Amino acid sequence: AGLDPAEFAAPARAVPEDRGLQQIADMVERLQDPYIKALLKGILEDEAWMADFRRAPAAKSVHHARAGGLLEHTLSVMKLAHRLADHYPMADRDLMVAGAFLHDVCKVRELSFERGVEYTDQGRLVGHLVMAAQIIHERSLRIEGFPPALEHHLTHIVLSHHGSMEFGSPRVPQTIEAMLVHYIDEIDSR
């Protein structure tokens, strides 16, 4: 009694949901590689996945730990990847933007966010990096002619985005795109 529930509400979204999703879709539409574009569009067109993506936090407590935080973080990392690709022309823009989109996409399965934010059993046992590698593999099989080397590179970016084994990456970044996505994520999550 006497307390205003608004005082306990999460901070307002930095970007309105519809505008954020549209910006993500626009960046995906500008990709040149048809296989990468098809992979990402397949996820964007998955209504059930995107319903969770809109509401999901990006983390339990460290960064963007609020409803819609995953969308905000993903959009920010994608924008930074796009800008850094301008500065480092030797890096593949499509790989960087795709890695930025995919790096935390499985937070929608790693975290439960119905009542507070908790890890799911799958999140505790498998984790979002491995789940994302599985999604990349499963969805690339649906795209005729998807190059295995491209699947491996996208998977590497996701699996190495924490930067070191100490922080949960089974591999350290070994390509310029993986290194840049790691540092972009580091910047945005801190």
Side-chain angles (χ1 to χ4, degrees):
L3 295 177
D4 181 2
E7 292 180 36
F8 299 96
R13 293 176 185 257
V15 177
E17 178 184 307
D18 290 342
R19 197 171 98 213
L21 285 172
Q22 187 59 54
Q23 288 176 18
I24 289 172
D26 290 346
M27 278 188 271
V28 168
E29 195 57 45
R30 288 195 305 263
L31 296 173
Q32 300 299 306
D33 186 293
Y35 297 106
I36 293 175
K37 186 185 285 191
L39 178 70
L40 301 191
K41 284 179 103 174
I43 295 170
L44 287 172
E45 293 168 0
D46 183 329
E47 291 180 20
W49 193 281
M50 293 310 293
D52 288 341
F53 183 83
R54 286 179 173 93
R55 299 179 8 235
K60 184 174 177 182
S61 61
V62 177
H63 69 95
H64 300 87
R66 60 184 172 274
L70 180 59
L71 189 157
E72 291 174 19
H73 174 60
T74 301
L75 175 60
S76 180
V77 173
M78 288 176 75
K79 284 179 175 180
L80 289 168
H82 198 57
R83 289 179 181 142
L84 273 184
D86 288 336
H87 190 76
Y88 295 106
M90 71 289 283
D92 184 304
R93 177 184 311 274
D94 285 5
L95 281 172
M96 287 179 58
V97 172
F101 178 80
L102 294 166
H103 84 285
D104 277 350
V105 75
C106 283
K107 292 280 184 103
V108 302
R109 300 295 179 259
E110 181 178 55
L111 299 171
S112 169
F113 40 91
E114 293 306 317
R115 293 183 193 169
V117 180
E118 295 297 329
Y119 286 98
T120 63
D121 288 343
Q122 187 180 17
R124 279 189 297 279
L125 296 172
V126 179
H128 72 281
L129 281 77
V130 173
M131 286 188 272
Q134 292 169 332
I135 291 296
I136 291 167
H137 179 69
E138 290 167 9
R139 289 180 179 259
S140 69
L141 289 175
R142 299 179 194 173
I143 301 167
E144 188 175 334
F146 199 99
L150 178 58
E151 177 193 341
H152 299 155
H153 201 153
L154 290 169
T155 300
H156 173 70
I157 292 170
V158 168
L159 291 177
S160 67
H161 84 268
H162 284 182
S164 70
M165 293 176 186
E166 176 186 1
F167 294 115
S169 280
R171 307 297 291 165
V172 297
Q174 297 179 38
T175 65
I176 189 168
E177 294 85 5
M179 183 64 71
L180 290 170
V181 169
H182 158 63
Y183 282 121
I184 293 166
D185 180 50
E186 187 90 353
I187 289 167
D188 196 65
S189 65
R190 300 294 184 269

